Amino acid sequence: MSQISVAIAGAGLSGLCLAHSLLRAGFDVQVYESDPEPFARRQGYRVTLDEYGMAGLQKCLPPRLFELFLATTSPTDEDSYFRVTNQDLGEVFKLTFKGDRSGTDLRTPRQTDRQTLRTIMLEGLQDRIHYGKKAVRADTAADGATLHFSDGSYTHASLVIGADGVNSALRKQLLPDCDPEDANSWGIYGRTPLLHNGQSIVPAPLKTSGVYAIGKAGKGFFFTTMNFREAPQAAFSRFGAEQLPPISDDYVMWALLLPKELFPVSQEKLDSEILHRFALETALDFHPVLRRFVNLADTDCTMLVKLKAARKPSSWPVSRITLMGDAVHVMPPTGSHGGNTALRDAALLAEKLKAAVSRGKPLEEAIASYQTEMSQYAFREVEAAKAMLKRFSIHNPFMSWVMLRAMPWIRSLKNKPLTTTE
Ligand SMILES: Cc1cc2nc3c(=O)[nH]c(=O)nc-3n(C[C@H](O)[C@H](O)[C@H](O)COP(=O)(O)OP(=O)(O)OC[C@H]3O[C@@H](n4cnc5c(N)ncnc54)[C@H](O)[C@@H]3O)c2cc1C
C-alpha cells in the first residue's frame, strides 16, 4: 500500500480529514497549504456540524482525536432550535433538534469552534503539512499526477486532490466552466465574548438556539452561541494532545447578511474596523439584544465573506486529479451544509480509494464512483442553500407583511417573548 502516494492541496476541513483517513490506511500522504502557517487568516469561528459532518470525522480521524472533538463541541443535553424571526425577534417559525444527554448520538447537531477543530485535525500531521505552498495547477502523468506550486517547485504523486477551497486553482483548470456564481450577498461575521460583567449576553430562552432574524431590504442577522462542553484546556490535556487549544472562552458568533450593493465602500477598504462600524450601523434596524452582540464584539475578529454558489459540472472527466469540498461545491451559508458536505466528501473519497486498493482495482474506478456519488448529494445541498438564501431575502411586500408582522403577532399570543431573562 505504501507505494500509493497522495498530494492534497489545502489543509482545510476536508483536506485534513482525508489525510487522516488515508494515512491510517497506509497511504503516503502529503498536504500542501498556501498559508504560511496554520492560522494565518480568519476563516470563521463556529461551525454547526450535522450527522454527515460528524460521521465523516468519525470515519476518518483516529478515535482519540474524534473523542477530543466531541469533548470540545457544544453540550447536547437540552433540545436546541433553529428559529426564524423578524428583526424584533418575533418568532416566525422554529425547528427543534432533540437533545441527547449521552452526547454520543451523532444525529444531534452541535457547534464546534473551527480553530479548535482544525487544531485537533493538525495533530499527528505536523510533519506531513507543507506551508507556504500555493498550488497553481496539476498535470496528469503516466503513473499519477504532478502538482505545481507558485514558487516553481512541484511534487509527483499517484493522486492529486484539490481541497483548496472556494478559489480553487485546480477547479479552474479541471472544470473551467464551473466558476461559482456570485450570490450577490455578503456577510459580516463577528465574535463576542458570551459573558459581559459575569452575565450571559444571550437571553435564557435563546441559549440553545441559532437565530436568523429577517430584516428589511434583504438584510438578515444570524447568531448562535459557542459553549464548550468541556473546557478546551482540560480536554486537550485529558486526551494527551501535543498542542494547546487556540481558545477557551465561550462566545457568540453573529453574522449580518446583506445585498452586496448596500456596502458603502469598495471591498479593498473593508478592514475589520470599518466592517465593525458598518455592522453597528446596519444592526440599528434589529432588536437591542442583537445590536448588543455587535456593540460588545471583539472588533478585530470582524470579517467579510462573499457568498457564492457552485455551478454543477455538465461532465467531469476522470483522471488521477480530483476535487473535494468548497473547491467544487461552495454554497451560501444558509443551512450550514458547506463544511459538513466537505467532510462527507473526504470520508467518501477515502472509502472508495481504500476499497479500490484492497480489491486491486484501478484508482480511476474509485475516483469515477466518488465524483458521481458526491455530485448528487453535494449539488442538492448547493440548490437547497441557494433556495433558503432567497426565501430569507423577502422582497414581496405582501409576503413580507405575512412573514414578518402577521405570523410573529399570531405566535406571540401563545408564546412567551424570546427575550425574557429567566
Ligand atoms: C464564516 C463561515 C461560517 C461557516 N459556517 C458553517 C457551518 O456552520 N456549517 C458548515 O457546514 N459550513 C460552514 N461554513 C462553510 C465551511 O467553512 C466550508 O464549506 C468548509 O470550510 C469547506 O472545507 P474545504 O476543506 O473545502 O475548504 P477550506 O476549509 O476553506 O480549506 C481550504 C484550504 O485550502 C487552502 N488553499 C487555498 N488555495 C490554495 C492553493 N492554491 N494551494 C494550496 N492551498 C490552498 C486554504 O488556505 C485553506 O486552508 C462556514 C463558512 C464561513 C466562511
Side-chain angles (χ1 to χ4, degrees):
M1 177 92 70
S2 63
Q3 69 275 20
I4 308 251
S5 53
V6 182
I8 301 174
L13 297 188
S14 63
L16 294 176
C17 196
L18 179 72
H20 274 290
S21 182
L22 294 183
L23 207 54
R24 290 172 69 208
F27 288 66
D28 173 16
V29 182
Q30 305 293 330
V31 184
Y32 300 89
E33 166 60 46
S34 57
D35 283 348
E37 55 186 27
F39 300 111
R41 238 164 3 98
R42 299 205 185 284
Q43 292 183 315
Y45 306 112
R46 148 256 57 115
V47 181
T48 305
L49 287 187
D50 64 16
E51 58 188 303
Y52 294 109
M54 284 189 281
L57 287 172
Q58 187 178 37
K59 285 181 192 156
C60 294
L61 296 187
R64 178 180 71 92
L65 295 185
F66 183 69
E67 291 297 318
L68 173 56
F69 151 73
L70 283 184
T72 52
T73 57
S74 55
T76 49
D77 320 14
E78 296 176 41
D79 290 354
S80 60
Y81 308 93
F82 174 63
R83 296 175 194 269
V84 175
T85 72
N86 65 14
Q87 62 197 11
D88 300 317
L89 291 178
E91 192 167 283
V92 179
F93 69 86
K94 74 171 181 215
L95 302 177
T96 304
F97 303 96
K98 271 253 134 301
D100 160 43
R101 280 180 186 283
S102 73
T104 54
D105 187 343
L106 302 186
R107 288 167 305 179
T108 308
R110 61 197 82 197
Q111 313 296 329
T112 185
D113 173 67
R114 180 192 292 263
Q115 287 196 9
T116 305
L117 174 59
R118 231 172 140 231
T119 306
I120 293 170
M121 293 212 285
L122 291 170
E123 186 91 3
L125 296 179
Q126 288 91 333
D127 57 345
R128 304 230 160 224
I129 305 179
H130 311 274
Y131 292 100
K133 286 291 191 187
K134 181 174 181 180
V136 287
R137 66 167 217 280
D139 300 326
T140 46
D143 56 345
T146 307
L147 179 61
H148 296 264
F149 303 103
S150 58
D151 60 8
S153 62
Y154 58 87
T155 187
H156 185 75
S158 316
L159 284 170
V160 165
I161 315 293
D164 49 344
V166 52
N167 298 312
S168 170
L170 299 195
R171 179 201 60 240
K172 288 183 183 130
Q173 180 198 347
L174 294 183
L175 301 171
D177 300 331
C178 293
D179 252 10
E181 59 187 45
D182 189 347
N184 292 317
S185 239
W186 289 1
I188 307 173
Y189 284 77
R191 194 175 78 184
T192 308
L194 179 62
L195 298 181
H196 181 66
N197 296 332
Q199 301 282 319
S200 171
I201 59 173
V202 176
L206 295 177
K207 90 178 161 78
T208 60
S209 292
V211 176
Y212 190 87
I214 303 177
K216 291 183 197 134
K219 296 179 205 172
F221 193 120
F222 175 75
F223 82 89
T224 190
T225 309
M226 178 65 225
N227 280 117
F228 292 98
R229 175 187 293 271
E230 181 175 345
Q233 199 123 18
F236 271 56
S237 122
R238 186 159 72 84
F239 285 95
E242 283 168 24
Q243 303 170 88
L244 290 173
I247 182 165
S248 45
D249 293 329
D250 297 339
Y251 60 89
V252 173
M253 169 262 169
W254 52 265
L256 272 156
L257 298 187
L258 50 163
K260 66 177 187 186
E261 63 274 9
L262 297 184
F263 279 76
V265 285
S266 74
Q267 50 177 289
E268 290 74 30
K269 297 202 178 130
L270 290 172
D271 62 23
S272 54
E273 208 168 300
I274 293 179
L275 275 174
H276 183 250
R277 234 179 294 139
F278 182 52
L280 282 172
E281 276 169 37
T282 310
L284 288 175
D285 289 353
F286 290 88
H287 191 281
V289 161
L290 305 180
R291 293 210 298 266
R292 193 155 178 251
F293 296 157
V294 185
N295 267 316
L296 298 175
D298 294 329
T299 307
D300 31 306
C301 290
T302 319
M303 57 177 254
L304 179 71
V305 176
K306 296 175 197 166
L307 310 194
K308 295 196 174 170
R311 290 192 172 93
K312 187 173 182 179
S314 49
S315 71
W316 189 351
V318 172
S319 73
R320 292 287 186 100
I321 312 166
T322 191
L323 302 166
M324 281 192 312
D326 280 7
V328 63
H329 54 62
V330 66
M331 59 190 86
T334 29
S336 297
H337 292 303
N340 286 297
T341 313
L343 294 170
R344 185 176 178 181
D345 297 352
L348 178 69
L349 179 55
E351 186 185 297
K352 301 274 182 200
L353 291 172
K354 287 188 268 185
V357 170
S358 71
R359 291 185 201 134
K361 301 272 186 198
L363 294 175
E364 285 80 356
E365 220 171 87
I367 301 227
S369 165
Y370 157 76
Q371 287 180 182
T372 306
E373 204 173 311
M374 180 266 260
S375 296
Q376 281 166 6
Y377 63 71
F379 286 94
R380 246 193 337 258
E381 297 295 1
V382 173
E383 290 311 312
K386 275 166 60 179
M388 199 169 182
L389 181 65
K390 205 166 155 197
R391 270 202 301 280
F392 284 175
S393 321
I394 306 167
H395 293 289
N396 176 315
F398 176 68
M399 277 310 290
S400 170
W401 180 83
V402 171
M403 285 280 284
L404 304 180
R405 290 280 152 231
M407 283 178 66
W409 180 75
I410 293 165
R411 291 186 71 97
S412 74
L413 298 178
K414 53 179 186 130
N415 294 333
K416 278 192 201 157
L418 294 174
T419 47
T420 52
T421 47
E422 83 235 55

